[in-house]
Amino acid sequence: MRTRIVATMLLALAALPAHAGWEDAVKAYQNGDYATAAKEFRPFAEQGQATAQYILGWIYQTGEGVTQDYAEAAKWYQKAAEKGNGDAQYSLGSLYAAGAGVKRDDAEAVKWFRKAADQGKVGAQYILGYMLTAGEGVAKNETEGFTWYRKAAEQGLVDAQYAVGLAYLYGKGTTKDEQEANPWLRKAAEQNHVESAYLLGWNHETGAGVVPDYKEAARWYRFAADKGNVEAQYHLANLLRDGKGVQRNDAEALALYKKAAEQGQAYTTVAIDDYLKGGKPDAAFELADTWLAKHPDDVGLLTLLGFNAATEARKDAAKFGPIAKKYGEAAIAQIESGKKPERMADTEWNEYQLKWLPQLYVQLGSLSSKAGDFADARAKLERATELSPRDAYTWYLLGQTRFAEYEKLNADSKDLDGQARSDAVAQAFTKLDQVIDAYARAVGLSAGKEALKDLHDPLLKDLTNLYDFRNGSRNGLDQLIAKYKGS
């Protein structure tokens, strides 16, 4: 815009007839000697010469060769604007809109923008279109706003071309016409307007106003992505991941997803989920780490990752076990803190506290048990039973962990003698009592439930054998189970 204004000034200067001192003023300005230009133009401005008044206002606004002074700029713009100078009218409107040198007054800004727009000043036409569309300083009128956008767009103003494209795309101020939107967006994109390039990509991908064309979509997405547009980076990554319109490139897709994630692209979590569903956990976890570096309290994602990593750990515990622990424990910490995320509904938060929290403990407890870390497994499973005391399966898993501890204590006692061995055996039997209690709870809670029959029936047999071994008979077992049926 600045280049356009300077060019307009020079044309105005050249169009005026020579006058004593005028040529010196013009030459000084053209040579960048703005201090001299201001000095030479001032007498003409003081005599009411509108072009000189406008140029003097511009020099004071920019502070080129003089101390920047918006109030002084506004004074000279006002004089020239009142004489009908369109450039001064536009500049004066800009000062009123910004509150620079004058008190901010959107209505006054609209008045001067309209005068300049009526003279074909493209910048004024665009800003008048914006103010009418937004209802700033004037009654909102999207239809008239579109008219001024269109006038500026037809003069080649890139922002106006984008605005016209948007208006047609969404039917704002004009009839919705996706097909008509694309030529205007293309005009703007060809002038390096990044958002227009992104929308062209989107329209070609989705078939908005054009025949769907993934190759063309990828071309415009890449143009915008290379200039840092986060939406284009994300959508280009989708095409690269799926090989649509471009050769499939998993590495570049992931790199683009990460760039978008670093800029806060909200759909990053969708890409992570897609990777998980597509059997690409490594990519999912790498992208997730980028997202979580900026959003460490994303409890929904942490929970999702914790469960998925736990599933992968069943196939490769050495690789995915630590990952499951990292995400799962982070999710647990967030939920246990009681700090509900701002954008999460109360009902959803309650679900995390009542359903997902105990299940996280169960998942991590099971992994710790399989890894031989029985103390950690027991602590997590005991916490799960506190949170969900009627979950038969959790009591069963806790019983299994306690049984593993019992077996270790029993095995260790065989290497001891005398009192030490007697103490160790006592500890082992104490642990066995805890196993029996956990199994009895699981059997009692699963009794009569068809969905838990596969748990109940074999576990009852194991419990009966353990109880018989520990007590020398089965007397009291039925009563123990019955105690937990209604618990």
Side-chain angles (χ1 to χ4, degrees):
M1 183 67 72
R2 178 181 173 81
T3 301
R4 183 188 293 271
I5 292 172
V6 172
T8 301
M9 274 195 286
L10 293 177
L11 286 172
L13 293 173
L16 293 171
H19 190 285
W22 184 260
E23 290 183 350
D24 292 335
V26 172
K27 185 176 181 180
Y29 189 91
Q30 290 175 330
N31 290 336
D33 184 357
Y34 302 114
T36 299
K39 179 181 177 181
E40 295 294 337
F41 277 124
R42 181 173 288 275
F44 293 98
E46 290 173 345
Q47 291 301 312
Q49 210 287 327
T51 300
Q53 290 170 336
Y54 164 62
I55 294 172
L56 197 58
W58 177 254
I59 290 173
Y60 275 107
Q61 181 180 348
T62 59
E64 294 179 328
V66 298
T67 300
Q68 189 175 48
D69 188 334
Y70 289 112
E72 187 72 5
K75 181 186 78 174
W76 291 110
Y77 283 152
Q78 182 85 34
K79 293 177 181 294
E82 289 172 352
K83 290 182 172 63
N85 184 288
D87 293 315
Q89 291 167 345
Y90 168 61
S91 296
L92 182 60
S94 298
L95 292 185
Y96 273 111
V102 291
K103 183 179 180 180
R104 177 170 176 171
D105 187 333
D106 287 342
E108 191 71 5
V110 168
K111 181 184 83 172
W112 290 110
F113 284 140
R114 189 179 292 280
K115 289 178 180 293
D118 285 336
Q119 295 194 61
K121 298 303 176 181
V122 64
Q125 290 173 339
Y126 169 71
I127 296 179
L128 180 59
Y130 169 78
M131 297 186 82
L132 283 161
T133 300
E136 293 184 5
V138 65
K140 186 173 182 177
N141 189 328
E142 291 182 336
T143 300
E144 187 184 357
F146 172 77
T147 299
W148 287 110
Y149 277 150
R150 179 82 187 229
K151 289 179 182 291
E154 288 171 347
Q155 291 198 64
L157 186 67
V158 63
D159 289 331
Q161 291 168 343
Y162 173 61
V164 169
L166 284 181
Y168 278 122
L169 194 60
Y170 300 113
K172 295 291 187 180
T174 187
T175 302
K176 182 176 180 177
D177 189 336
E178 293 177 338
Q179 188 172 353
E180 182 67 16
N182 287 309
W184 290 105
L185 293 174
R186 185 179 293 272
K187 288 176 184 291
E190 288 173 349
Q191 294 189 69
N192 297 319
H193 193 272
V194 176
E195 288 77 13
S196 293
Y198 159 67
L199 282 177
L200 275 178
W202 174 254
N203 289 350
H204 279 91
E205 181 181 358
T206 61
V210 293
V211 176
D213 185 337
Y214 289 123
K215 185 176 181 180
E216 189 71 358
R219 181 171 80 89
W220 288 111
Y221 280 152
R222 186 172 293 281
F223 175 89
D226 287 345
K227 296 183 181 300
N229 183 277
V230 64
E231 303 294 339
Q233 289 169 348
Y234 177 83
H235 289 288
L236 178 58
N238 285 342
L239 297 184
L240 287 162
R241 181 196 64 196
D242 299 335
K244 292 182 177 180
V246 291
Q247 185 175 352
R248 178 175 168 176
N249 189 324
D250 291 333
E252 186 180 2
L254 181 57
L256 282 168
Y257 279 136
K258 290 171 71 174
K259 281 186 178 180
E262 288 169 353
Q263 297 179 70
Q265 168 54 263
Y267 286 111
T268 297
T269 54
V270 175
I272 294 168
D273 192 40
D274 287 343
Y275 273 135
L276 292 171
K277 292 175 179 176
K280 297 179 179 179
D282 291 330
F285 299 144
E286 184 175 344
L287 179 56
D289 286 342
T290 301
W291 175 261
L292 291 169
K294 291 184 174 293
H295 304 87
D297 60 346
D298 190 338
V299 68
L301 180 61
L302 287 167
T303 302
L304 175 69
L305 295 169
F307 285 131
N308 277 273
T311 299
E312 295 298 327
R314 295 190 187 102
K315 297 176 285 186
D316 189 343
K319 178 178 180 180
F320 292 107
I323 296 174
K325 184 179 177 70
K326 176 181 72 173
Y327 293 133
E329 290 189 345
I332 285 171
Q334 288 291 328
I335 302 170
E336 289 277 25
S337 74
K339 296 178 181 178
K340 181 178 72 70
E342 289 184 5
R343 297 184 180 181
M344 183 176 285
D346 290 341
T347 53
E348 187 179 6
W349 179 237
N350 288 337
E351 184 178 15
Y352 274 90
Q353 292 178 306
L354 299 177
K355 179 179 179 179
W356 301 122
L357 179 59
Q359 289 191 27
L360 283 165
Y361 274 116
V362 168
Q363 290 285 346
L364 295 188
S366 297
L367 289 178
S368 292
S369 182
K370 290 178 181 178
D373 188 351
F374 300 125
D376 184 68
R378 175 168 31 83
K380 285 183 168 57
L381 291 169
E382 286 176 349
R383 177 58 178 151
T385 62
E386 291 173 5
L387 293 165
S388 188
R390 295 189 56 78
D391 189 317
Y393 187 70
T394 302
W395 284 107
Y396 161 66
L397 291 176
L398 178 57
Q400 278 195 318
T401 298
R402 287 174 175 174
F403 187 75
E405 291 180 299
Y406 158 74
E407 287 186 314
K408 186 176 186 309
L409 288 169
N410 190 47
D412 290 345
S413 70
K414 294 177 181 179
D415 296 328
L416 302 174
D417 295 311
Q419 187 61 44
R421 183 172 184 178
S422 297
D423 291 343
V425 170
Q427 289 178 358
F429 275 111
T430 298
K431 185 62 66 175
L432 184 58
D433 288 338
Q434 295 174 356
V435 174
I436 290 170
D437 184 75
Y439 280 176
R441 286 177 183 266
V443 169
L445 290 167
S446 61
K449 298 177 180 177
E450 189 62 30
L452 296 175
K453 184 176 177 61
D454 289 343
L455 170 66
H456 176 274
D457 291 354
L459 184 57
L460 178 58
K461 292 179 181 180
D462 290 341
L463 172 61
T464 300
N465 292 333
L466 288 174
Y467 190 90
D468 193 9
F469 167 73
R470 177 69 177 94
N471 296 285
S473 74
R474 299 178 184 179
N475 293 334
L477 177 58
D478 290 342
Q479 292 86 340
L480 177 62
I481 294 172
K483 183 175 70 171
Y484 293 126
K485 282 184 177 180
S487 62

